[in-house]
Amino acid sequence: MRHFPPFSNTNQPTLTKLIISLIHSSKTTPQLHQIHAQIILHSLSHNAPLITQLISSSSLLRSLDYAAALFRRFPNPNSFVFNAFIRALSDNAHFNSAISHLAHMLRRGARPDRLTFPFVLRSVAALGEAGLGGVVHGLVVKVGVEMDLFVRVCLVDMYVKVGCLVGALQVFDESPERVKVGSVILWNVLINGCCRGGELGRAVAMFEAMPERSSGSWNVLIHGFLRVGDLGWARRFFDRMPREMKNVVTWTTMISGFSQNEDHEQGLGLFRRMLEEGVRPNDHTIVSALSACASIGALRTGVWIHEYISKKGLRLSRIVGTALVDMYAKCGKIDSASQVFEEVREKNLLTWTVMISGWATNGCSDLALQCFEDMRNSGIQPDDVVFLAILTACSHSGMVKEGLRLFNSMRFDHAIEPNVKHYASMVDLFGRAGQLEEALNFIENIPIKPDFVVWGALFCACRAHKNIQMAELASEKLLQLEPTHPGSYIFLSNIYAAVGRWEDVERVRLKMKSKSIEKPPGWSYIEVDGQVHRFLAGDKTHQRSREIFTKLEELTVRASAEGYNPDTKWVLHNIEEEEKEDALGSHSEKLALAFGIMSTPNGTPIMIVKNLRVCGDCHSLMKYVSMARDGLEHNFARVIVETDSVALKHLIQQDLARSMHRPSTALIKDFKELDMGCGKGINVRTFGQISLLPEFSYIANTCIHA
DNA sequence: CTAGGGTTAG
């Protein structure tokens, strides 16, 4: 924009219109600066419409500081200027400020109108301030704009979001009939409110009663069912929804909803169907699909989505890029993750966090630390989550000093108050390194109440370093904190088993039984030709069940011929169940792997063991991985273990992830076996991801490369 | 006299 059109002989209204259209077409803040300069040159800086437009455009371009400067310099802002600025504040999450500018507006004698309240109400909703909501509602009535549809919609929405369904219903009921009939959106907002308030029955009733329905109504209701985990009803309404009404939002809602309810396969199935039906995915869709891939380790599907993005020439946005990095990292393809990471322009904190924890969980602690340094050098301020990732990297690789340094730097250099997860990570850091006294001392000095995970970390360290007194102390705490958690008993039993106190093992087992605490069954997934199959222990429901069992028998025979003897020392014996499973030889992971081997003689079985609960499974699992490798021409198998068992996390982490860092020393027993099974020229590589957060899933990948 | 807009995919 070197040359401005000759303005001298243009009259003012035309000029204003011209400049407004120029502001509209601006794509960057510097362009706005140029236009602003011209506005000043033409003595138009008191022109309210122009400044209004400049404020909203700079807000759109994320330059709130500039918008604020424009607002402050404007001598007597009228309601237009105020409205634009309040909206800018609300759009940029400055909710308190947005609300206080309404008061400011009243003091300055600018009259709020039907376009002021929506953004103030949105801010109130975001803050969840029910009391403030009532005050603003009062003002709406006082100013006399409560019959405006836009305002009403925002009022209802506000009441919904501050958790006041009664208020929302009241505003809706008070709305004149013509408004209710004419406005689908008012219904949608209220149906959404009923869903959020957990009143699904009411939501359906309103849905059936409304005069006409557009896509949004269906989407809101389907989303409501998905949010409460009712996949069945979500599906029923989705199927009932007319085909031409299903838009990107509908499909994305379904994909991410199914995935968030742990049905990642159906989520991905829906994604495929969506493409078949010719609906174009957007960033939201891609991210949901990728996150489903990451959860179940569906690498092939993930790669396919990556190829789809490239093929369609879609720009690798920051959010999609971040999702891709995460997917590759969680599927164990850390080199691909790193490659994509380099391609992402304008990385933000999340992008860096994903990459850093990717390095950390894939066993590359020094690269994680390096990445953290790079992030700081690029001027991005770390938060509590990055620190958790980086502390994990330290504890995985035995860098106690570095971990302690970072922990202190977090508090003193960055003023980030550690939370319970950081404390757990520190206990893990000391404990893993064998500094048990330091770990215990640390727990005793933390300012908040240590939770199950903190004591669990100490316990696992005690077990690893065979300190039975401290282990008993820890497991006592665990039992106090979670008396019904099977893990509490398994912990205690394990430590007794480790030192051969079998009568104590039995005592714990009986105690557990008398309280009828049981471990829930584990299940396994395996991806074959991009299709994910799921198995339970002893599962005979698979179409090719007979073949699978035959294959499994063949593998079992071979395993024992190779001298495979399950080491049950670490297992909490649930005799009946174990015997049953062993007799059938049908642990879920064995079934899955047998199926994988028989289905992909030349391919890459990727197996996912889900919700694994018993420590011993890990052992047999490793054996089967090595067998899978034997059974494959390509000498490559991948196993992903997902569990919420703290004990198992630590076992796998110690047995697998650790040995990666010290490949030459102290290979754990499982590992020796695995190593032998692999034979010459095979490079065994393992990596584990540990999360100390119980709500996070745990994934350990094992790769055996030729 | 005039500029500016709402719900649903975390």
Side-chain angles (χ1 to χ4, degrees), chain A residues 19 73 144 196 224 458 632:
Chain A
I19 300 180
R73 299 252 169 86
R196 277 171 173 252
L458 182 71
L632 291 171

Side-chain angles (χ1 to χ4, degrees), chain A residues 373-658:
Chain A
E373 277 311 305
D374 293 347
M375 180 190 95
R376 299 221 38 214
N377 290 334
S378 76
I380 290 183
Q381 285 302 312
D383 70 349
D384 52 338
V385 184
V386 197
F387 269 107
L388 199 61
I390 205 79
L391 289 177
T392 306
C394 292
S395 74
H396 277 204
S397 52
M399 296 191 273
V400 179
K401 269 191 188 157
E402 184 65 6
L404 201 57
R405 188 186 69 76
L406 285 159
F407 180 76
N408 289 327
S409 146
M410 164 170 112
R411 307 185 57 186
F412 300 123
D413 302 337
H414 300 278
I416 299 170
E417 193 48 39
N419 61 38
V420 71
K421 293 158 187 167
H422 298 98
Y423 291 121
S425 195
M426 290 305 286
V427 171
D428 190 51
L429 178 77
F430 291 121
R432 210 169 271 275
Q435 305 180 9
L436 298 179
E437 291 299 332
E438 285 85 345
L440 184 60
N441 190 32
F442 189 85
I443 296 183
E444 279 162 355
N445 283 306
I446 55 182
I448 50 175
K449 190 173 184 281
D451 68 353
F452 192 81
V453 184
V454 174
W455 287 110
L458 182 71
F459 179 87
C460 290
C462 293
R463 189 187 52 199
H465 298 281
K466 302 247 187 309
N467 182 331
I468 193 147
Q469 284 101 342
M470 209 185 277
E472 274 183 299
L473 172 85
S475 68
E476 243 167 60
K477 297 283 184 186
L478 290 171
L479 268 173
Q480 274 169 25
L481 286 164
E482 299 269 352
T484 55
H485 195 297
S488 308
Y489 298 87
I490 293 173
F491 277 143
L492 193 56
S493 163
N494 281 346
I495 190 83
Y496 289 134
V499 293
R501 281 163 58 175
W502 299 110
E503 60 297 341
D504 288 323
V505 172
E506 187 59 18
R507 204 193 62 214
V508 174
R509 192 184 79 84
L510 286 173
K511 193 172 167 193
M512 184 172 166
K513 203 174 178 178
S514 72
K515 296 194 175 177
S516 56
I517 295 166
E518 273 179 26
K519 78 172 178 73
W523 61 87
S524 305
Y525 295 106
I526 187 154
E527 189 191 62
V528 170
D529 291 331
Q531 264 268 319
V532 178
H533 301 252
R534 178 205 279 247
F535 295 89
L536 276 164
D539 201 337
K540 292 207 167 112
T541 56
H542 195 277
Q543 287 175 343
R544 298 175 63 187
S545 183
R546 284 185 79 93
E547 288 169 75
I548 296 169
F549 274 82
T550 311
K551 187 75 191 178
L552 185 56
E553 215 175 291
E554 183 194 318
L555 290 167
T556 310
V557 169
R558 222 166 82 206
S560 58
E562 284 178 25
Y564 168 59
N565 250 321
D567 176 8
T568 47
K569 207 165 116 195
W570 291 98
V571 186
L572 174 67
H573 296 268
N574 185 339
I575 306 288
E576 303 95 296
E577 193 184 332
E578 293 281 320
E579 267 174 5
K580 208 164 54 195
E581 284 184 2
D582 279 343
L584 293 166
S586 57
H587 288 285
S588 61
E589 77 275 17
K590 295 180 186 173
L591 289 173
L593 208 49
F595 178 64
I597 292 167
M598 96 194 188
S599 315
T600 53
N602 295 313
T604 310
I606 300 173
M607 168 179 169
I608 301 105
V609 182
K610 179 99 181 158
N611 195 21
L612 198 62
R613 303 285 177 131
V614 175
C615 301
D617 287 359
C618 171
H619 178 88
S620 57
L621 184 70
M622 297 313 299
K623 189 66 202 175
Y624 279 92
V625 175
S626 86
M627 283 166 40
R629 202 272 315 153
D630 284 344
L632 291 171
E633 303 250 331
H634 285 201
N635 292 335
F636 180 89
R638 292 181 64 250
V639 175
I640 297 176
V641 181
E642 193 172 316
T643 178
D644 63 1
S645 152
V646 182
L648 190 59
K649 283 174 191 176
H650 284 265
L651 186 81
I652 297 179
Q653 197 181 2
Q654 281 153 9
D655 288 6
L656 308 186
R658 205 119 185 253

Side-chain angles (χ1 to χ4, degrees), chain A residues 20 37 66 85 128 189 194 198 226 256 286 288 295 317 332 428 451 493 535 579 640 644 656 700 703 706:
Chain A
I20 284 177
Y66 182 48
F85 189 52
V189 173
C194 294
L226 291 170
S256 74
I286 300 279
S288 304
S295 305
S317 70
D428 190 51
D451 68 353
S493 163
F535 295 89
E579 267 174 5
I640 297 176
D644 63 1
L656 308 186
C703 284

Side-chain angles (χ1 to χ4, degrees), chain A residues 1-10 15 18-19 22 38 42:
Chain A
M1 196 184 321
R2 295 278 139 69
H3 303 289
F4 235 61
F7 286 150
S8 38
N9 48 11
T10 322
L15 183 57
L18 190 63
I19 300 180
L22 275 172
Q38 295 293 335
H42 287 83

